[in-house]
Amino acid sequence: MTNSIEIQGLNKSYPDFALRNINLTMPGGAIMGLIGENGAGKTTLMKCILNLVRRDSGTITLMGHDNIKEERLAKAEIGVVLDECFFHDTLRPKDVGAILAPAFRDSWDGALYRDYLDKFQLPQGKLIKEFSRGMKMKLSLAAALAHRPKLLLLDEATAGLDPVVRDEILDEFLSFICDEEHSILISSHITSDLEKVADYITYLHQGQIVLSDAKDTILDSYGRVGCTAAQLETIDPADLVRVRRGSFGCEALVSDRKTFHRSYPSLMVDPIALEDIMLFIGKGASA
Amino acid sequence: MTGLVLKDILVLRKSLRTYLLFLIFYFIMALLDLFSIAFITAFVQVIVMILPMSSFAYDEQAKWDRYAMTLPLGRRAVVGAKYIFVVLMILVAATFALLSCVALSITAAEPVEENLLSGVASLSVGLLAVELTLPLNYKLGAERARPFLFAIIFIPVILFVLAARAGWLDGLDQLSPDVVLPLLCLIPLLLLLGLPVSYLVSCRIVEQKEF
């Protein structure tokens, strides 16, 4: 099966920020969650994938198509939902359908678009300016799905939505992924959403990928060690990924909690959530 | 590309409807000899200049271009759609101005040459403004490009006034309308030739742009 996304040696620099040596492979039929703090480079990476910004070096292929040389072919198979709704306030959902249909030519399915509008309870004739944020994101999703894309790119698409709407949208992602040719790359701060739906997690930190693996592998192997400062001194720094020292004790992130437990049986190692891994890497210090 | 042209029409439909009503109103007033046809020709010029600016402003507000670049169209098609929309508007406005001139010269026995000249002059200024402001809009954005529109309108006017005061235009009024009319009609045609150049400049700007 063709990989949905292949990124090799991607570099993109700005005066105050740089994406450095990004290598990423996303297999078909999977959901990959892209996590990272604000300014870590998630949106820049999405923009590079969509060829919205000029990269300094590297190659990107989407569904087997080079995203620059075969840009149209690549984009014909992609549905995009970015962090806001880009449709003008004076348009209506039925207008959006009329505008996008010629852009996707034969692959646009007007009936499917209307089905999504009905499913998401979006009135076809209502002005977009009267829509709530949740409705606007659902409209963006309907527009992104109506040409039957194979790859969905979602940049903070669930940010700022209430839990009910978020759950509704996540369900839609799960039904989209039922087709094994389909895949989703979703960047989000809401790690609990990704824990629910993602198969793979990629963590961007200060423009670099610091972690990219299957979600279950990460959650099964990473762990949090709680200990005193004196106990911390006895641990080989090579066994620790990150450390946080506080006035009441210390805690450390380990990448293989079973091996760690065998090496240090007196220390407790707990499973850890994605959010805590982010906090360790974002705020912790090297061991 | 047709979808993007349709987008501009749909986004601006309220303004288009209002402009059309104004044009019809001015036309009726001119027919009744209450307004001069200059109202129509001047308004046509305003429409030709304002519509593209409004279109850019709305696109900027919605951050539309970023979304448009994610569609399987390519950057040139996005720029091309804007030019097609503008040319369509120019054609509609020019047709209306032309028909008004002819109709008024028949019904009100107004001199058709003079009316046509004022229409041609308005259209020329509108076309020139469009050709220069479209690339500027892509380069600077709608807000920062707006002052240039005023410069494009006022600088030629000031130059004409200064030239007239200096006596450089003396004798122009002595020229026969048979000579002047075809010459002046060439101006918008020449300016139309500038549209592809303007389009290529815009494409180059957009190709370098990051969204």
Side-chain angles (χ1 to χ4, degrees):
Chain A
M1 187 187 287
T2 314
N3 284 323
S4 300
I5 302 176
E6 280 180 30
I7 302 175
Q8 286 180 335
L10 174 68
N11 287 284
K12 166 70 187 166
S13 56
Y14 292 103
D16 53 348
F17 169 76
L19 269 185
R20 278 167 293 168
N21 195 29
I22 303 291
N23 292 292
L24 185 71
T25 301
M26 184 171 131
I31 299 183
M32 179 179 275
L34 190 60
I35 58 172
E37 56 274 23
N38 287 331
K42 300 186 297 294
T43 299
T44 306
L45 179 57
M46 285 285 189
K47 285 181 177 180
C48 286
I49 291 172
L50 288 164
N51 194 25
L52 298 180
V53 294
R54 276 173 294 130
R55 61 198 179 217
D56 302 333
S57 60
T59 57
I60 300 174
T61 57
L62 305 170
M63 314 303 298
H65 304 296
D66 186 284
N67 81 328
I68 293 179
K69 290 178 195 150
E70 299 170 296
E71 187 175 7
R72 288 192 199 183
L73 284 175
K75 287 185 175 172
E77 301 201 57
I78 297 176
V80 180
V81 181
L82 300 176
D83 53 343
E84 48 195 312
C85 177
F86 294 95
F87 302 124
H88 302 67
D89 282 348
T90 49
L91 294 176
R92 299 172 169 87
K94 62 177 178 184
D95 300 332
V96 172
I99 291 165
L100 294 182
F104 290 101
R105 297 181 183 188
D106 299 337
S107 56
W108 181 262
D109 187 338
L112 181 64
Y113 177 66
R114 286 188 293 278
D115 284 349
Y116 277 119
L117 293 183
D118 291 343
K119 187 175 181 183
F120 295 147
Q121 296 174 324
L122 300 171
Q124 291 198 39
K126 195 172 174 175
L127 287 173
I128 291 173
K129 71 176 169 194
E130 291 165 16
F131 281 12
S132 65
R133 178 170 164 80
M135 290 166 89
K136 284 181 181 177
M137 293 319 285
K138 283 195 268 189
L139 173 64
S140 301
L141 188 60
L145 290 169
H147 66 284
R148 301 187 184 278
K150 288 184 179 161
L151 169 64
L152 265 186
L153 292 177
L154 310 159
D155 187 17
E156 302 288 355
T158 56
L161 301 180
D162 67 65
V164 177
V165 176
R166 255 177 33 223
D167 197 60
E168 211 177 324
I169 289 181
L170 290 179
D171 281 345
E172 204 50 53
F173 296 163
L174 289 173
S175 44
F176 175 78
I177 211 74
C178 284
D179 185 327
E180 60 180 22
E181 279 202 318
H182 289 178
S183 38
I184 301 177
L185 177 65
I186 172 171
S187 84
S188 179
H189 285 121
I190 309 166
T191 51
S192 58
D193 284 354
L194 298 180
E195 278 177 18
K196 259 189 227 172
V197 298
D199 302 303
Y200 295 88
I201 296 293
T202 294
Y203 179 16
L204 264 179
H205 178 62
Q206 294 176 348
Q208 284 181 299
I209 292 179
V210 290
L211 177 63
S212 185
D213 212 334
K215 178 193 72 184
D216 292 341
T217 309
I218 294 171
L219 295 179
D220 286 348
S221 61
Y222 276 73
R224 177 193 156 278
V225 182
C227 58
T228 62
Q231 286 172 317
L232 189 67
E233 294 304 316
T234 66
I235 305 173
D236 180 355
D239 293 331
L240 302 174
V241 180
R242 279 285 204 277
V243 172
R244 286 201 296 187
R245 293 178 174 86
S247 44
F248 298 106
C250 300
E251 45 183 10
L253 178 71
V254 295
S255 58
D256 186 342
R257 62 175 188 260
K258 281 173 192 149
T259 310
F260 185 88
H261 188 64
R262 277 198 295 275
S263 307
Y264 306 92
S266 60
L267 294 175
M268 282 290 290
V269 195
D270 300 315
I272 190 166
L274 286 174
E275 185 169 324
D276 291 321
I277 296 176
M278 269 182 73
L279 286 173
F280 262 112
I281 293 177
K283 292 175 74 179
S286 328
Chain B
M1 203 191 265
T2 48
L4 298 184
V5 179
L6 179 67
K7 184 270 299 171
D8 279 330
I9 294 171
L10 289 172
V11 167
L12 290 166
R13 65 189 138 193
K14 256 190 174 175
S15 307
L16 292 173
R17 216 175 290 148
T18 311
Y19 290 149
L20 187 67
L21 283 175
F22 267 104
L23 280 175
I24 292 168
F25 171 75
Y26 286 146
F27 179 68
I28 294 168
M29 288 293 135
L31 270 181
L32 297 173
D33 208 18
L34 294 170
F35 278 179
S36 154
I37 191 169
F39 273 92
I40 295 175
T41 48
F43 199 65
V44 160
Q45 180 186 326
V46 170
I47 292 170
V48 169
M49 286 189 298
I50 296 295
L51 274 178
M53 300 294 281
S54 306
S55 166
F56 273 102
Y58 281 122
D59 283 355
E60 216 166 274
Q61 200 180 19
K63 299 179 187 164
W64 168 260
D65 278 350
R66 191 188 299 174
Y67 181 77
M69 296 303 163
T70 70
L71 299 174
L73 296 168
R75 296 186 175 208
R76 282 179 171 244
V78 175
V79 177
K82 189 67 82 186
Y83 274 80
I84 289 175
F85 167 71
V86 169
V87 170
L88 260 178
M89 292 303 113
I90 290 171
L91 281 176
V92 171
T95 309
F96 191 92
L98 182 73
L99 291 178
S100 304
C101 288
V102 174
L104 287 171
S105 62
I106 293 166
T107 56
E110 284 193 18
V112 72
E113 294 89 353
E114 202 176 313
N115 288 347
L116 274 177
L117 273 184
S118 87
V120 162
S122 291
L123 205 60
S124 303
V125 176
L127 260 172
L128 180 69
V130 161
E131 280 169 13
L132 297 174
T133 53
L134 255 58
L136 283 169
N137 269 289
Y138 279 116
K139 181 79 184 168
L140 306 170
E143 195 66 39
R144 286 168 61 204
R146 199 163 296 141
F148 288 93
L149 177 66
F150 299 114
I152 290 161
I153 297 165
F154 289 118
I155 289 172
V157 171
I158 292 167
L159 289 178
F160 264 112
V161 171
L162 290 176
R165 284 197 180 168
W168 295 347
L169 305 180
D170 290 349
L172 269 184
D173 52 344
Q174 307 300 319
L175 287 172
S176 144
D178 297 339
V179 179
V180 175
L181 193 62
L183 278 178
L184 286 180
C185 283
L186 277 178
I187 295 175
L189 291 177
L190 283 174
L191 286 168
L192 268 178
L193 291 178
L195 264 177
V197 178
S198 169
Y199 163 72
L200 290 174
V201 173
S202 292
C203 282
R204 186 150 179 89
I205 292 167
V206 172
E207 270 158 17
Q208 302 296 319
K209 210 170 169 180
E210 301 205 327
F211 293 90

